[in-house]
Amino acid sequence: MFSGIVEEAAIIVGLEKEQSNLHITMECSFTDELQIDQSIAHNGVCLTVVKKTDKTYTVTAIQETLDKTNLGVLNIGDKVNLERSMVMNGRLDGHIVQGHVDQTAKCIEIKEADGSWYYTFQYDIDKEKAGQGYMTVEKGSVTVNGVSLTVVNSKDDRFSVAIIPYTHDFTNFHQFKEGSIINLEFDILGKYISRIMSLKGE
């Protein structure tokens, strides 16, 4: 379980394909604190540490993960947003994030707003899944590349988020451009509510 508060943007230093799997090796400042089998969110994708050295650690993404997220299009030198799993006796600063990416979306617009930024993302709409909570709502929560954010200007197949300078610089948002593919996780509470409502309707 995660909160969507990114700890660090790690740099990819190695990519190794093994059959349909992809081994991703990264450098980050807290590598020495990690353990084998530990779960970490990478651009919002929960993956397990399988190997580590003094400065780097490696996770493995299977084909299912590569098909549904942006991990398969990453390159050496790209930055990945990291968050270790939530400590249950701490504050929940973002919102409840599972680390289970629902789908990808495309950045279609970036606007500067006198010191902050508005990013607009478009995603494929599926009416059945939308009825199960796979959608955004105005002022609701959404996770973009593992970052907990508040939705503004929610539409059927797109939404925007407002980014403060700290988030822009500290996460990989500063690497986004129009056409960038990002990972999207919709709010789990909305999914449960939608599911309960649909069962009541039946």
Side-chain angles (χ1 to χ4, degrees), residues 123-135:
Y123 58 94
D124 291 333
I125 190 72
D126 180 313
K127 288 188 177 180
E128 183 179 341
K129 284 192 171 183
Q132 297 173 6
Y134 289 70
M135 60 181 179

Side-chain angles (χ1 to χ4, degrees), residues 7 11 20 44 48-49 53 64 76 84 89 96 101 103 107 128 144 148-149 151 162 165 170 172 180 182:
E7 291 185 67
I11 297 175
S20 62
T48 301
V49 176
T53 67
E64 171 78 4
I76 290 175
R84 286 175 283 185
N89 65 350
I96 296 172
V101 169
Q103 64 188 84
C107 181
E128 183 179 341
V144 173
S148 173
L149 297 165
V151 173
F170 188 70
N172 60 13
S180 290
I182 58 93

Side-chain angles (χ1 to χ4, degrees), residues 135-197:
M135 60 181 179
T136 62
V137 295
E138 196 70 20
K139 304 303 180 187
S141 295
V142 70
T143 307
V144 173
N145 266 13
V147 182
S148 173
L149 297 165
T150 300
V151 173
V152 296
N153 198 25
S154 176
K155 305 292 184 187
D156 285 345
D157 67 342
R158 67 193 63 195
F159 66 94
S160 299
V161 293
I163 301 297
I164 62 172
Y166 178 83
T167 304
H168 178 270
D169 296 339
F170 188 70
T171 71
N172 60 13
F173 262 83
H174 63 271
Q175 291 189 327
F176 292 177
K177 54 190 176 184
E178 290 186 14
S180 290
I181 302 299
I182 58 93
N183 292 330
L184 201 54
E185 181 182 331
F186 299 105
D187 186 8
I188 186 61
L189 297 180
K191 293 176 192 174
Y192 275 115
I193 291 168
S194 295
R195 181 62 176 150
I196 291 167
M197 295 301 290

